[in-house]
Amino acid sequence: MAYHYVPIDASDRRLAAAALLAVSAGACVGVALSHTTTASALYASAPAAVQTQPAVAQGVAPAYAMRAQAPRAADMTPEGLVAVESDRSVPFTVETTAAQPSFTLWGLLALPVIGAIVSLFYRLGNHRTLPEMQKLGPVPTGQNPLGIPADYYTRLTMAAVTAEYTNVKSNAIFEEAKTIMPGGVSSPVRAFKSVGGNPIVFDRVKGAYCWDVDGNQYIDYVGTWGPAICGHANDEVLDVLRETLVKGTSFGAPCALENVLAKKVIEAVPSVEMVRFTNSGTEACMGMLRMVRAYTGREKVIKFEGCYHGHADGFLVQAGSGVATLGLPDSPGVPAGATAGTLVAQYNDLASVEELLKNHEVAAVILEPVVGNSGFIPPTKEFLVGLRELSTKYGALLVFDEVMTGFRIAYGGAQEYFGVTPDVTTMGKVIGGGLPVGAYGGRKDIMEVVAPAGPMYQAGTLSGNPLAMAAGIKTLEILQRPGSYEHLEKITKKLINGILDAGREAGHEVCGGSISGMYGFFFCKGPVNRYADATKSDTAKFAKWHRMMLERGVYLAPSQYEAGFTSLAHTEEDIDRTIAIAREVMKLI
C-alpha cells in the first residue's frame, strides 16, 4: 500500500511555507557571518596555543621522470646503482600557513536548528496536531483509530491521492491520435464520449494497477474489459509467454497448445463438447450465428434489447419502444436486409420471448446470461430456466454469449453458476489470458456442421495463435486453484456494497449488485431488470463521478452502461481505499 505525505489544507501549506522561510533565513545568516571581519578578529585575539601555526618541512623525494637511454640496473655495479638513485632524488620544501575557520560551514550547520525553532513556535501558536504522517487506510464507520471524524480522515485520503494529478501528456497524445485515427481510438468506448473529457493514455499495467503516460497510478476496475482476471501482467502468464515466444509468434498451422486449451474448456463448460477458436468475441459470435442457422435451417434469431454480441451487422439492432419488434439497423452502413432476421425481446421478460417464438420460425435465442453491456443486469433464475424450456418447446437453440461471464462469475461460466445449460456458448476475454482470442462451442452434433467437418464455412488466419493458447492455459490453471472465486466474490461484494452505501449516505438514488468478479451500479432508484430500466440512470451524474474518481486514482469503465471487473490481484486495501475515495466523491457530486 502506498503512503502519501502531502499538505492537507491551506493552514498546513502556510506551515510548510513558514518552515521553508525559516531555513532560508538561517542560510542568509550563515553566509553573512562567513563574510564578516568580526569573526576573524575574534579568532586572531585567541591565545597562540589554540591558533594553527605556520610550519616549514624539508625532504628528498624520488624523481620518477627517467631519461630514455638510462642503463638497466641489471648491467650496473653496486656503486653505479647508488649513483643512479642519487641522481633520481629531488629535494623539496613544504610551507604551511595559518588556517582560518570556515564560518560558511558553521552557518550551514545552524540551519536545521533555526528552522526547527521557528517551525516549533509556529505550530505551538496554531495549537493543531494533524496526522499528516499517519498511514492511509480504511475508514471505519464513524471514527478511525486516531479518533478523527471519518469525513475528515477521508479528506486526508483525497488530498493524498490528488496532490499531483496531471494529464498533459495524455491530452497531447490523444489530440494527435484524433488526426490519424477515427476519434483518436481503436474502439469507440475508449474515447470517453459518455463521460466527457479526454481519455488517459496508458503507459503500463501490473497486478490491480495501471499507470498513464503522465505517471499517475490508478486502481483498475476495467481489467482490459474483463480478461485480466488474474491481474495485469501476471508473472506466471508472462513466463509461459516468454517460453512460447521463442518458438514463434504465429504458425497458421495446427498447434498442440490448441488441444490443451480445448480440453480445458470442454471440461469446464457444461454445454461444450467441441470448440472452435477465433480471434475475438465478435468473430466468435459471427461464427455462432452462421452455425445455428446452418444447423436448424432457419434464419431468424432472437436477441434482447441492450445485449451486445459484437459488431456484426445482424446484431446491431435497436429494439422498438418497449415492445418486441422486428429489428431496425442501429448503425449507418448496415443494410435493412442484414437485420431482417433479427428479432428483439425484453430481458427478464419471458412473455416477450414466447410471443416471438409463437409467430416466427426461430433458429436460436441468444443472450448475455448476465448483461454487462447495459451496465450490470443479472437475470432471474426463473428467466433462464424459462428460456431453456421455451427454446426446447419451439425447436430453437439456446445460446449463451459468455464472452464476458465465461470463467469469470464461475469457472464453468454463468451456466454453471445458474445451473442452466444452453446448446451453444460463445467465449473470449478470460480464455486468452489477456491476448486476443474468442471461441464458440456446443453440442457435438451442432459443432460438426462447421468446416471442414461440415458445410458451414468459417476460418481465421491467426485463430489458435500459440501465444493466446499458452496464456489461456496458464490463466485457467490459476483460476482452478482453491480460493480463487471465493476471493473474487468477497472483494467484489465489499466494493459494490461500499459504493452503494456511500451513495445513499450522500443522498443519491443508487442501485446495483455483483456476482463473483463482475459488478455494476446505476444512479437511479431501481430495480434495473432490463435496458429500459437502465436508461433511467442519471448519466450526467455518472460522468461527474467517473471524472472525479479518475482524478483521485480510480480507473472505472467510462460509461454508465458497462460492467466493472475485479481480479485476483485486488487486495482488501485496494477495496478500502476505493470506498474511501467513493465516499468523498459521492459528497461532492
Side-chain angles (χ1 to χ4, degrees):
M1 184 176 188
Y3 302 113
H4 304 268
Y5 309 117
V6 297
I8 304 304
D9 52 31
S11 61
D12 292 297
R13 287 193 291 271
R14 289 195 298 271
L15 172 59
L20 291 174
L21 288 173
V23 172
S24 301
C28 294
V29 172
V31 173
L33 286 175
S34 69
H35 289 83
T36 61
T37 58
T38 303
S40 297
L42 289 172
Y43 177 79
S45 65
V50 298
Q51 294 189 25
T52 304
Q53 302 298 321
V56 177
Q58 294 183 338
V60 178
Y64 291 101
M66 299 293 291
R67 289 189 294 272
Q69 302 300 320
R72 295 184 303 157
D75 299 331
M76 300 180 67
T77 64
E79 293 80 5
L81 286 171
V82 173
V84 170
E85 289 301 322
S86 176
D87 184 55
R88 292 177 185 175
S89 301
V90 178
F92 68 88
T93 300
V94 178
E95 181 177 355
T96 65
T97 60
Q100 298 296 324
S102 175
F103 286 101
T104 302
L105 178 60
W106 180 92
L108 291 175
L109 291 175
L111 297 183
V113 177
I114 297 172
I117 293 172
V118 174
S119 297
L120 176 62
F121 279 108
Y122 186 96
R123 179 169 286 279
L124 290 175
N126 280 273
H127 302 289
R128 297 178 62 196
T129 303
L130 295 176
E132 294 94 341
M133 306 299 287
Q134 174 67 24
K135 171 183 172 182
L136 296 179
V139 182
T141 304
Q143 298 280 328
N144 64 58
L146 298 178
I148 303 169
D151 58 342
Y152 178 75
Y153 191 66
T154 304
R155 192 162 70 252
L156 296 181
T157 305
M158 296 308 98
V161 177
T162 60
E164 299 180 358
Y165 186 82
T166 179
N167 59 355
V168 175
K169 292 182 181 178
S170 284
N171 286 339
I173 293 172
F174 183 64
E175 290 303 320
E176 179 188 41
K178 289 193 292 185
T179 68
I180 52 180
M181 295 184 288
V185 293
S186 296
S187 189
V189 72
R190 302 177 191 175
F192 278 34
K193 291 289 187 180
S194 297
V195 293
N198 284 345
I200 60 171
V201 176
F202 275 35
D203 177 58
R204 65 190 189 282
V205 293
K206 186 66 178 177
Y209 313 109
C210 57
W211 289 262
D212 65 22
V213 292
D214 291 279
N216 300 304
Q217 178 181 342
Y218 307 86
I219 304 174
D220 180 18
Y221 293 105
V222 179
T224 71
W225 302 96
I229 194 168
C230 296
H232 290 296
N234 177 274
D235 290 337
E236 294 182 65
V237 175
L238 291 181
D239 286 343
V240 299
L241 283 174
R242 293 186 189 99
E243 294 173 8
T244 308
L245 186 62
V246 298
K247 298 179 180 180
T249 59
S250 178
F251 298 155
C255 167
L257 293 174
E258 292 176 86
N259 289 17
V260 177
L261 185 57
K263 286 189 288 187
K264 293 188 77 66
V265 171
I266 291 168
E267 290 169 0
V269 184
S271 66
V272 178
E273 296 176 350
M274 297 185 80
V275 63
R276 167 61 63 88
F277 290 114
T278 64
N279 296 293
S280 68
T282 287
E283 191 178 330
C285 288
M286 290 171 64
M288 172 275 295
L289 183 61
R290 188 177 302 161
M291 180 182 71
V292 297
R293 285 170 167 162
Y295 178 79
T296 62
R298 302 175 178 181
E299 292 189 3
K300 296 194 182 297
V301 295
I302 296 175
K303 72 176 291 289
F304 293 84
E305 184 181 19
C307 285
Y308 179 74
H309 307 290
H311 58 80
D313 285 357
F315 287 124
L316 292 180
V317 175
Q318 184 177 22
S321 179
V323 295
T325 65
L326 289 175
L328 298 175
D330 197 27
S331 171
V334 177
T339 60
T342 306
L343 310 171
V344 181
Q346 301 301 306
Y347 195 79
N348 274 326
D349 184 348
L350 287 173
S352 70
V353 179
E354 186 163 22
E355 184 66 23
L356 293 173
L357 288 170
K358 285 180 179 178
N359 295 298
H360 302 275
E361 291 287 315
V362 174
V365 177
I366 305 167
L367 76 155
E368 293 180 85
V370 177
V371 179
N373 288 283
S374 294
F376 176 82
I377 306 176
T380 64
K381 177 67 177 293
E382 294 73 21
F383 176 64
L384 294 183
V385 171
L387 288 180
R388 175 69 278 176
E389 294 172 350
L390 288 174
S391 297
T392 302
K393 177 180 178 180
Y394 289 97
L397 299 177
L398 179 62
V399 179
F400 279 7
D401 180 351
E402 297 225 45
V403 168
M404 192 172 288
T405 56
F407 295 94
R408 174 160 285 280
I409 69 171
Y411 188 69
Q415 52 201 269
E416 176 192 304
Y417 184 87
F418 292 104
V420 177
T421 303
D423 301 298
V424 177
T425 301
T426 57
M427 294 160 282
K429 298 187 184 293
V430 169
I431 65 168
L435 275 72
V437 75
Y440 60 101
R443 295 200 326 253
K444 186 175 182 179
D445 62 312
I446 300 173
M447 293 299 297
E448 284 183 334
V449 305
V450 179
M456 193 284 292
Y457 189 77
Q458 181 267 319
T461 299
L462 297 175
S463 297
N465 179 275
L467 295 176
M469 299 296 101
I473 292 166
K474 177 55 66 173
T475 296
L476 298 194
E477 287 178 2
I478 294 171
L479 290 174
Q480 283 183 291
R481 294 171 186 169
S484 294
Y485 288 95
E486 289 80 2
H487 176 76
L488 290 172
E489 177 71 25
K490 179 181 178 182
I491 62 170
T492 312
K493 183 175 291 186
K494 181 176 182 179
L495 173 66
I496 188 60
N497 288 341
I499 291 173
L500 294 175
D501 289 345
R504 291 165 183 147
E505 289 169 7
H508 301 293
E509 289 189 339
V510 291
C511 65
S514 68
I515 300 176
S516 187
M518 182 178 178
Y519 77 95
F521 82 100
F522 300 91
F523 278 106
C524 63
K525 185 177 180 180
V528 173
N529 293 316
R530 56 186 58 85
Y531 176 70
D533 298 332
T535 60
K536 299 174 183 177
S537 181
D538 189 335
T539 55
K541 185 177 290 185
F542 178 86
K544 294 179 182 178
W545 148 269
H546 182 273
R547 176 55 61 174
M548 296 178 78
M549 292 293 286
L550 183 74
E551 292 175 351
R552 287 159 174 78
V554 179
Y555 186 72
L556 303 164
S559 171
Q560 173 72 92
Y561 303 120
E562 294 285 354
F565 306 103
T566 56
S567 75
L568 297 178
H570 283 86
T571 65
E572 292 273 359
E573 289 77 11
D574 294 327
I575 303 303
D576 289 334
R577 181 180 171 191
T578 302
I579 292 172
I581 295 171
R583 180 176 289 111
E584 181 68 14
V585 171
M586 286 293 189
K587 294 177 181 178
L588 296 174
I589 59 176

